Amino acid sequence: QEQLVESGGGLVQPGGSLRLSCVVSGSTLDYHPIGWFRQVPGKEREGVSCIHDSDGSQYYTNSVKGRFTISRDKGKNTVYLQMNSLKPEDTAVYYCATDCYYIAGMIHTLGSRWGQGTQVTVSS
């Protein structure tokens, strides 16, 4: 069965950086676009970024453009989210999921597979 495992979260000061990893097992990145999503208690899940398998096209929600970068390493079956210039409002549990897409200015997912999440806390 295909599985996704996130890692790399932690506590960081505002302006700092973290690099999240999403390792996909049981399949390869050739088969699925992979996206990053985040959620805080009491709020709806937010699509953060998405990378497509076809040509590596990258998409971001407006609040992270210029600060976050999504990338992939097909040899390691891993998708990364480099997060720079972190802000307190970036604090959330971050999840990766398969089959993301970008439409109407937002990132969505068909939700076929999800990871367990990794906590990112940005605080002084």
Side-chain angles (χ1 to χ4, degrees):
Q1 182 178 349
E2 186 176 71
Q3 293 183 323
L4 292 79
V5 179
E6 303 95 335
S7 63
L11 175 64
V12 65
Q13 294 182 339
S17 298
L18 287 172
R19 189 191 193 194
L20 306 184
S21 299
C22 173
V23 179
V24 181
S25 62
S27 184
T28 72
L29 299 183
D30 292 336
Y31 301 138
H32 300 287
I34 303 293
W36 287 96
F37 300 79
R38 63 189 181 186
Q39 190 168 25
V40 299
K43 296 185 178 180
E44 296 294 322
R45 181 185 64 202
E46 177 187 23
V48 176
S49 187
C50 177
I51 187 166
H52 282 187
D53 59 302
S54 58
D55 59 0
S57 297
Q58 304 165 29
Y59 303 96
Y60 302 92
T61 190
N62 285 337
S63 63
V64 308
K65 288 181 179 178
R67 299 188 298 119
F68 291 11
T69 303
I70 191 169
S71 62
R72 62 183 178 180
D73 185 334
K74 290 187 175 182
K76 297 181 179 180
N77 266 15
T78 301
V79 172
Y80 303 97
L81 185 67
Q82 178 67 46
M83 305 186 295
N84 298 327
S85 302
L86 283 163
K87 304 175 180 179
E89 51 263 43
D90 295 318
T91 296
V93 177
Y94 284 70
Y95 301 88
C96 58
T98 62
D99 303 306
C100 58
Y101 60 98
Y102 182 81
I103 192 169
M106 294 184 290
I107 295 164
H108 310 264
T109 181
L110 296 176
S112 59
R113 296 289 188 276
W114 290 87
Q116 82 290 342
T118 185
Q119 176 70 49
V120 172
T121 302
V122 185
S123 177
S124 60

